[in-house]
């Protein structure tokens, strides 16, 4: 009865009225908060149409945005062109620009507080901002004018936008750091971008550290098995190269002129060369070297923290580019393709743009389209009305670690040829949000900064009596990027180049980071040039840390530009690079750690074996290729082993007719890649430190390809078991574990196994997207998207066997340029043009990118106009 009375009371008019008012209130409150959030989010979206007046602009500039959010900027003079580029970059990407300039100057603590102090110390020790500051007085008037115009454009935007009107990230940052306000943009900030990219694309000293640490538990021969020479059956970039350089030509770095030694460009050094190093030649005993190993390993800690911010390591992560002569194409003109592979991030590292002088002249010679970096001028990858170009990373060995003898009576002195020499001491003040400033002293030797000073676990080195090694030591880094560079000149010079000769003259300034540049022009020419600063060492091969207290291992100079690898209109009719070996005949050392050429082999085969004229569609298919050459080696072995259970027999059957393609819906691809993870773990985890567990990339393809020819190699034996395993036992165990894992996560029915569901990419915001706060991460991250391939397919979506199947590195853009008709050219980057969360162009390219789809690179003015969705007029502001 009571319950019935309660029900009746709930249906009385007064209760219904209260309920109605409450619901209305909650609805209004919800709409208010939704409106407030929408307002906060949308207030930072850029103005894309109408008119904006800018102080300092000389004439009207038109910015025409197409349906993909790509701006096409038309200006009457160079000043206005680059000023507008700065303004548009700031409109769409200022948070990204602000964040990267703080990395470049080691000032992350100013934004994010004490959590970034150790990273800042590491960055200040690197000293990128100090190097960039040294470059500024050396800049010529033209380049200074361009950079100042760009900065003026950025600052014109900052003058009218602050806080959340700049970007949603600043609304979140206000809760963490209420006092933060972005400073004006400076030339310095544009120059430090190149240093950050050089680090992101380099870091070969990590391989030095890894090899040195592995010697703690492995023999030198075992270590070298894990870093095998470049395989003879994999292609080189310049197969026709045969004319050796004059060894006497060099660029000096302060050392006395001597003839250049031949270390072998192929990276396959002989035993004597490989042992010309501190660790390989002296064979340090474990007790003697333990603290030095600890010091080297601890360098990894701040390096790993920085890696979380700018993307995963550049070691083994590469890019593809190739150019095909008109002799092989359906158009009769060259086709150029490029897809640089970089760490997954949001917003995209690339910003697509067209830069057009309305009337080309000596003062305003620019008419280019392609991809820029927000924070710098010009187009990094793209084409002009005459030429096209693409880049891949050389991954050159331009970093050496030197073990310095330190004066036990004075820690700021080190030994040089028997004499104590004062270090250069630089005081750095790190401003920390919400805390007191921290003063850091960076110590420099003649080789570079003392990197071990930012290693938290550094211990004193106690050598054994048998070895004359330092009682007090430090580890210094010598790196080409820690000297002034001319990279800034290279980009606008390439943008205005009209032919091969002008392109090479511009490439000469592309010194750090070293790149493989491919070239094509509308006249039908194709070419290749490797620019960069490559050290010539008096002794050693850069594979291990070396003594710094004598001149025995000093850099003697740099390889002269005219002797660097190049090719023009080769008889093969194409040039392809995928970070692989440039030539087996090249006489100078570029690196001993080339990417092993599995991607290059697929590209070369798909071009050279084509029996008909190659079309743009064919090139798209090459860029989207998911063929796994690792499976080509291992599947026959898996088919041959004896298995005695229906589960494993079914697994073998699944692989039997597999086309070796790592497609998103492929069951066999899922099985093989999971098997590969377990094979590496079962083979190597018992003998290697966790930090150096195999990541499954190209080096491990080569290592395992060599090992499978030795079925009783000691590597196959699991040292944690009493029995001695061989190759086939490890193969069977790995296959069993792969089936177990797939049945657990995707079900016992193999029809449900799916590579794309395992192998997803999530675009994570570099800072707030990794905050650990789920609602904030949800605001900025996007994913996961099912992806095909792996790190060594041409469609290179890398996952790490030592971590998870999640994609870490991707083809950050894909570009195909038709030199027969530039309006037929295609591109895609990911996830989108905009850096503003919830903007329509924040992630709109992610799905088509996954499907290997493209959009046109709009070129002719009429074609741009036909696809324009918004026109913004930038007008000179009259003096008041």
């Amino acid at each position: 009865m009571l319950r019935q009375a309660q029900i009746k009371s709930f249906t009385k008019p007064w209760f219904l009225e209260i309920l109605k008012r409450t619901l209305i209130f909650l609805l209004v409150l919800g709409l208010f908060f939704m409106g407030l959030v929408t307002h906060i989010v949308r207030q930072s979206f850029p103005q894309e149409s109408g008119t904006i007046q800018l102080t300092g602009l000389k004439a009207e500039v038109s910015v025409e945005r197409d349906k993909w959010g790509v701006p096409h900027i038309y200006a009457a003079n160079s000043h206005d062109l680059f000023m507008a580029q700065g303004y548009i970059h700031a409109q769409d990407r200022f948070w990204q620009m602000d964040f990267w300039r703080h990395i470049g100057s080691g000032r992350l603590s100013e934004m994010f507080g004490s959590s970034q102090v150790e990273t800042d110390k590491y960055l200040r020790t690197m000293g990128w901002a100090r190097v960039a500051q040294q470059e500024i007085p050396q800049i010529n008037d033209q380049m200074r004018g361009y950079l100042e115009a760009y900065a003026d454009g950025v600052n014109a935007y900052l003058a009218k936008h602050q806080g959340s009107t700049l970007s949603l990230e600043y609304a979140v940052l206000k809760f963490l750091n209420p006092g933060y306000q972005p400073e004006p943009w400076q030339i310095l900030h544009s120059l430090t971008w190149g240093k950050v990219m050089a680090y992101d694309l380099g870091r070969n000293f990590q391989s030095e550290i890894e090899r040195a640490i592995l010697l703690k538990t492995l023999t030198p021969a075992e270590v070298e098995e894990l870093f095998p020479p470049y395989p003879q059956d994999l292609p080189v970039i310049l197969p026709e190269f045969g004319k050796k350089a004059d060894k006497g030509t060099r660029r000096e770095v302060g050392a006395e002129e001597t003839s250049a030694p031949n270390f072998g460009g192929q990276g396959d050094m002989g035993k004597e060369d490989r042992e010309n190093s501190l660790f390989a030649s002296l064979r340090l005993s474990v007790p003697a070297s333990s603290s030095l190993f600890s010091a080297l390993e601890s360098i990894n800690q701040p390096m790993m923290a920085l890696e979380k911010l700018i993307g995963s390591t550049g070691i083994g992560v590469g890019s593809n580019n190739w150019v095909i002569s008109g002799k092989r194409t359906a158009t009769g003109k060259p086709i150029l393709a490029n897809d640089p592979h970089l760490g997954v991030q949001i917003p995209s590292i690339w910003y697509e743009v067209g830069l057009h002088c309305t009337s080309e002249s000596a003062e305003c010679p620019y008419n280019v389209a392609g991809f820029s970096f927000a924070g710098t001028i010009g187009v990094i990858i793209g084409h002009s009305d005459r030429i096209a170009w693409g880049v891949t990373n050389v991954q050159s060995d331009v970093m050496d670690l030197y073990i310095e003898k330190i004066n036990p009576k004075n820690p700021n002195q080190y030994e040089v040829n028997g004499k104590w020499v004062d270090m250069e001491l630089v005081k750095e003040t790190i401003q920390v949000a919400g805390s007191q400033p921290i003063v850091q002293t960076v110590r420099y030797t003649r080789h570079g900064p003392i990197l071990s000073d930012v290693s938290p676990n550094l211990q004193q080195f106690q050598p054994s009596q048998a070895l004359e090694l330092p009682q007090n030591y430090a580890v210094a880094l010598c790196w080409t990027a820690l000297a002034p560079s001319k990279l800034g000149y290279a980009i606008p010079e390439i943008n205005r180049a009209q032919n091969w000769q002008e392109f090479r003259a511009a490439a000469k300034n592309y010194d750090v980071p070293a790149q493989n540049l491919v070239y094509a022009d509308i006249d039908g020419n194709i070419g290749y040039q490797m620019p960069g600063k490559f050290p010539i060492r008096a002794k050693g091969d850069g594979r291990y840390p070396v003594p710094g207290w004598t001149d025995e291992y000093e850099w003697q100079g740099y390889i002269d530009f005219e002797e660097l690898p190049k090719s023009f209109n080769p008889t093969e009719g194409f040039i392809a690079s995928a970070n692989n070996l440039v030539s087996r005949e090249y006489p100078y050392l570029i690196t001993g750690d080339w990417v092993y050429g599995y991607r290059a082999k697929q590209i070369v085969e798909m071009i050279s074996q084509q029996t008909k004229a190659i079309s743009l569609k064919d090139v798209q298919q090459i860029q989207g290729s998911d063929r796994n050459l690792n499976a080509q080696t291992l599947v026959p072995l898996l088919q041959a082993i004896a298995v005695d259970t229906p589960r494993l027999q079914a697994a073998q059957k699944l692989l039997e007719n597999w086309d070796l393609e790592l497609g998103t819906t492929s069951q066999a691809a899922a099985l093989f890649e999971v098997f590969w993870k377990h094979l590496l773990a079962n083979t190597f985890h018992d003998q290697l430190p966790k930090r150096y567990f195999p990541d499954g990339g190209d080096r491990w393809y080569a290592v395992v390809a060599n090992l499978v020819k030795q079925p009783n190699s000691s590597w196959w034996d699991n040292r944690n078991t009493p029995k001695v395993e061989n190759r086939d036992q490890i193969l069977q165990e790995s296959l069993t574990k792969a089936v177990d894992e797939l049945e657990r996560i995707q079900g016992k029915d193999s029809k449900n196994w799916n590579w794309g569901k395992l192998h997803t990419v999530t675009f994570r915001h570099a800072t707030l997207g990794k905050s650990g706060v789920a609602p904030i991460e949800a605001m900025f991250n996007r994913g996961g998207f099912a992806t095909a391939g792996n790190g060594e397919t041409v469609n290179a979506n890398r996952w790490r066997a030592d971590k998870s199947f999640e994609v870490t590195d991707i083809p950050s853009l894909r570009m195909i340029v038709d030199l027969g008709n530039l309006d037929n050219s295609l591109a895609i980057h990911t996830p989108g043009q905009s850096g503003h969360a919830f903007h329509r162009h924040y992630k709109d390219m992610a799905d088509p990118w996954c499907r290997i789809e493209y959009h046109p690179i709009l070129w002719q003015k009429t074609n741009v106009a036909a696809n324009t969705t918004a026109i913004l007029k930038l007008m000179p502001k009259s003096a008041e």
Side-chain angles (χ1 to χ4, degrees):
M1 295 293 294
L2 179 62
R3 187 174 181 182
Q4 290 178 347
Q6 287 175 328
I7 292 172
K8 288 182 179 179
S9 69
F10 289 160
T11 61
K12 288 182 179 180
W14 63 268
F15 175 79
L16 292 176
E17 183 64 23
I18 292 174
L19 180 62
K20 178 180 176 181
R21 291 183 180 183
T22 301
L23 290 175
I24 291 173
F25 172 77
L26 291 174
L27 179 62
V28 170
L29 186 64
L31 290 172
F32 170 77
F33 279 111
M34 285 178 61
L36 180 63
V37 170
T38 301
H39 171 71
I40 293 172
V41 168
R42 295 186 63 84
Q43 68 178 338
S44 64
F45 289 3
Q47 179 181 338
E48 298 179 358
S49 59
T51 301
I52 298 175
Q53 292 187 329
L54 298 184
T55 301
L57 205 64
K58 297 178 180 179
E60 177 184 317
V61 176
S62 179
V63 182
E64 303 181 15
R65 289 185 186 257
D66 63 28
K67 64 183 73 175
W68 302 280
V70 177
H72 305 264
I73 302 173
Y74 296 89
N77 57 77
S78 294
H79 171 276
D80 290 355
L81 189 68
F82 293 122
M83 184 175 179
Q85 186 180 20
Y87 189 87
I88 299 303
H89 276 168
Q91 272 193 320
D92 287 337
R93 298 283 190 88
F94 186 75
W95 171 270
Q96 183 184 47
M97 295 166 64
D98 198 15
F99 170 58
W100 277 78
R101 69 171 167 176
H102 279 78
I103 292 176
S105 294
R107 296 172 55 191
L108 291 166
S109 300
E110 293 179 19
M111 294 183 76
F112 305 108
S114 57
S115 66
Q116 297 303 316
V117 167
E118 295 306 314
T119 305
D120 278 348
K121 286 182 177 180
Y122 181 70
L123 293 168
R124 297 292 182 99
T125 300
M126 285 288 185
W128 298 332
R130 290 196 297 277
V131 177
Q133 195 69 55
Q134 294 169 22
E135 294 172 5
I136 294 176
Q138 302 174 16
I139 296 173
N140 64 30
D141 291 342
Q142 182 188 62
M143 187 65 183
R144 182 181 293 275
Y146 291 167
L147 292 172
E148 287 177 344
Y150 182 89
D152 288 345
V154 177
N155 291 331
Y157 190 74
L158 291 181
K160 297 295 180 68
H161 300 81
Q162 286 295 324
S164 58
T165 63
L166 267 176
S167 199
L168 177 61
E169 288 92 337
Y170 292 101
V172 178
L173 185 64
K174 193 168 185 65
F175 290 102
L176 306 173
N177 182 4
Y180 180 76
Q181 185 168 336
E183 64 182 296
W185 194 264
Q186 303 173 36
I187 290 177
L188 174 71
H189 302 143
S190 293
L191 295 180
T192 56
W193 179 273
K195 313 304 177 190
V196 180
M197 287 307 300
Y199 181 84
D200 191 38
L201 296 174
R203 293 186 259 176
N204 73 277
F205 73 96
Q206 289 175 269
S207 294
E208 287 188 47
I209 293 173
E210 180 177 354
R211 280 188 285 262
I213 289 172
L214 291 178
L215 280 170
K216 184 177 181 180
T217 54
L218 303 176
T219 68
E222 288 173 326
V223 172
E224 293 301 334
E225 281 189 287
L226 301 182
F227 292 85
Y230 192 85
Q232 291 294 317
D233 63 338
L234 295 179
V236 299
I237 299 173
L238 302 182
E240 297 180 359
F241 185 94
K243 187 180 293 185
K244 296 193 175 184
D246 174 7
K247 298 180 185 179
T249 307
R250 70 186 70 245
R251 282 177 284 160
E252 287 302 301
V253 289
E256 184 178 334
E257 183 86 37
T258 58
S259 61
N262 182 346
F263 292 135
Q266 69 270 33
D268 185 13
M269 283 73 73
K271 181 179 179 182
E272 182 178 352
D273 287 321
R274 284 178 181 263
E275 294 183 354
N276 276 336
S277 61
L278 175 66
F279 289 90
S281 62
L282 295 181
R283 301 281 202 275
L284 288 185
S285 65
V286 173
S289 60
S290 59
S291 62
L292 187 51
F293 287 131
S294 176
L296 290 172
E297 192 162 28
S298 64
I299 291 174
N300 284 319
Q301 297 183 24
M303 188 165 60
M304 290 169 65
L306 182 57
E307 188 173 300
K308 291 178 181 179
L309 297 175
I310 66 174
S312 58
T313 173
I315 301 299
V317 177
S319 306
N320 306 317
N321 66 12
W322 62 90
V323 60
I324 306 171
S325 166
K327 294 185 298 183
R328 287 181 172 266
T329 69
T331 65
K333 290 288 187 178
I335 297 175
L336 183 146
N338 193 191
D339 54 290
H341 308 157
L342 295 167
V344 175
Q345 56 191 285
I346 194 169
S348 169
I349 193 170
W350 299 105
Y351 186 89
E352 193 172 351
V353 68
L355 299 174
H356 308 281
C357 293
T358 52
S359 179
E360 289 186 56
S361 64
E363 190 284 327
C364 195
Y366 300 103
N367 191 16
V368 291
F371 294 88
S372 66
F373 287 141
T376 63
I377 63 170
V379 168
I380 311 296
I381 295 171
H383 72 81
S384 69
D385 53 345
R386 295 280 311 169
I387 74 168
W389 65 97
V391 307
T392 67
N393 189 22
V394 175
Q395 297 194 335
S396 49
D397 189 346
V398 294
M399 291 175 160
D400 281 353
L401 293 173
Y402 284 87
I403 310 300
E404 307 283 18
K405 281 186 183 179
I406 304 300
N407 186 347
K409 297 180 180 179
N410 184 346
N412 295 326
Q413 288 187 330
Y414 67 108
E415 184 179 318
V416 177
N417 297 321
K419 296 181 180 178
W420 295 121
V421 176
D422 290 336
M423 294 182 186
E424 180 185 358
L425 305 179
V426 176
K427 295 282 187 183
E428 293 280 356
T429 301
I430 300 173
Q431 302 293 335
V432 184
S435 186
Q436 294 298 311
I438 293 173
V439 178
Q440 174 192 14
T441 299
V442 180
R443 301 189 296 166
Y444 283 87
T445 71
R446 59 178 178 160
H447 299 118
I450 299 291
L451 206 56
S452 54
D453 279 353
V454 288
S455 301
N457 296 330
L458 186 61
Q459 301 173 22
Q460 282 297 306
F461 175 55
Q462 299 295 332
S464 68
Q465 295 180 353
L467 299 174
E468 295 181 4
L469 293 173
Q471 290 186 337
N472 297 282
Y473 71 93
V475 183
L477 173 66
C478 189
W479 178 25
T480 54
L482 299 184
S485 164
K486 293 187 176 181
L487 175 64
Y489 288 97
I491 304 308
E493 287 175 352
I494 289 176
N495 288 181
R496 61 178 181 257
Q498 297 291 295
N499 51 50
W500 172 243
Q501 291 73 25
E502 292 180 7
F503 177 79
R504 285 195 69 234
K508 188 173 184 178
N509 286 325
Y510 214 126
D511 48 7
V512 179
Q515 299 289 294
N516 298 296
L517 302 179
V518 294
Y519 164 95
D521 62 40
I522 60 173
D523 295 326
N525 299 302
I526 66 172
Y528 165 90
Q529 177 68 58
M530 179 191 289
K533 292 168 69 175
F534 304 98
I536 297 172
R537 297 167 175 87
K539 184 180 178 181
D541 51 32
R543 292 175 65 80
Y544 293 89
V546 293
W549 52 87
T550 73
D551 291 339
E552 193 176 3
Y553 294 90
E554 293 303 292
W555 291 5
Q556 300 298 296
Y558 299 118
I559 303 171
D560 187 84
F561 178 77
E562 292 303 322
E563 296 183 12
L564 291 174
K566 60 182 178 293
S567 178
F568 188 62
N569 291 331
T571 58
E572 281 193 317
F574 71 91
I575 305 166
S577 90
N579 319 103
N580 53 314
L581 174 64
V582 65
S583 168
R584 291 185 172 87
E585 305 299 326
Y586 189 66
Y588 293 101
L589 173 68
I590 300 297
T591 181
D593 293 317
W594 298 99
V595 168
Y596 284 86
Y598 294 97
R599 284 180 284 107
K601 183 176 182 179
Q602 296 167 76
I603 295 166
V604 168
E605 288 179 351
M606 284 186 281
I607 295 174
S608 62
Q609 294 175 6
Q610 182 64 265
T611 57
K612 59 182 178 62
I614 296 172
S615 67
L616 289 176
K617 190 70 175 177
D618 294 326
V619 176
Q620 292 178 50
Q621 290 175 351
I622 296 173
Q623 282 193 333
S625 173
D626 297 318
R627 186 172 177 80
N628 184 349
L629 297 187
N630 190 36
Q632 199 172 52
T633 300
L634 292 174
V635 166
L637 295 172
L638 280 172
Q639 297 293 81
I641 61 174
V643 296
D644 56 4
T645 67
R647 295 168 65 242
L648 297 186
Q649 290 167 357
Q652 283 183 321
K653 187 72 174 176
L654 193 61
L655 296 172
E656 186 176 337
N657 298 315
W658 181 34
D659 59 6
L660 307 186
E661 296 283 335
L662 299 177
T664 52
T665 60
S666 172
Q667 304 154 41
L671 174 61
F672 182 81
E673 293 295 276
V674 177
F675 156 78
W676 175 237
K677 180 190 79 168
H678 287 291
L679 178 66
L680 293 171
N682 291 335
T683 308
F684 299 105
H685 284 194
D686 61 322
Q687 297 182 57
L688 300 181
K690 185 176 181 180
R691 164 69 179 164
Y692 298 116
F693 280 178
D695 64 7
D698 66 291
R699 175 159 69 92
W700 295 100
Y701 279 28
V703 170
V704 172
N706 290 336
L707 282 183
V708 294
K709 300 171 186 175
Q710 309 168 54
N712 295 308
S713 166
S714 61
W715 286 105
W716 298 116
D717 176 37
N718 183 350
R719 299 185 182 184
N720 296 323
T721 66
K723 66 178 182 178
V724 177
E725 290 87 356
N726 61 23
R727 180 196 66 190
D728 290 354
Q729 289 170 322
I730 295 298
L731 289 173
Q732 182 176 4
E733 180 184 351
S734 302
L735 183 62
T736 302
K737 288 184 176 180
V739 172
D740 290 343
E741 181 171 352
L742 280 168
E743 287 184 345
R744 185 175 68 254
I745 61 178
Q746 293 194 341
K748 292 187 179 296
D749 187 348
S750 64
K751 292 180 181 179
N752 295 324
W753 297 353
N754 181 295
W755 177 228
K757 289 180 180 178
L758 276 179
H759 185 237
T760 61
V761 58
T762 297
F763 296 96
R764 287 187 172 82
H765 198 273
T767 51
L768 301 178
K770 302 173 184 177
S771 64
V773 181
I776 293 177
E777 291 186 357
M779 280 197 290
F780 296 104
N781 297 345
R782 299 293 182 270
F785 298 90
T787 58
N790 69 12
E792 309 315 323
T793 54
V794 181
N795 180 26
N797 297 305
R798 181 176 299 272
W799 61 278
R800 293 183 61 103
D802 56 335
K803 293 184 179 178
S804 73
F805 296 108
E806 184 176 336
V807 177
T808 60
D809 304 271
I810 58 173
S812 55
L813 69 84
R814 299 186 185 100
M815 179 185 76
I816 303 172
V817 181
D818 178 2
L819 276 299
N821 183 349
L822 293 171
D823 272 304
N824 287 336
S825 302
L826 302 167
I828 192 76
H829 68 119
T830 194
Q833 274 286 102
S834 179
H836 297 287
F838 305 105
H839 191 278
R840 66 188 183 282
H841 295 307
Y842 188 59
K843 70 169 185 70
D844 60 327
M845 292 190 197
D847 281 323
W849 172 87
C850 288
R851 297 190 297 264
I852 321 294
E853 296 175 355
Y854 302 76
H855 67 75
I857 303 177
L858 300 176
W859 181 246
Q860 293 293 341
K861 186 72 168 68
T862 53
N863 202 11
V864 173
N867 288 278
T868 293
T869 60
I871 299 177
L872 176 66
K873 297 291 186 181
L874 302 179
M875 307 292 290
K877 187 174 184 179
S878 56
E880 297 179 0

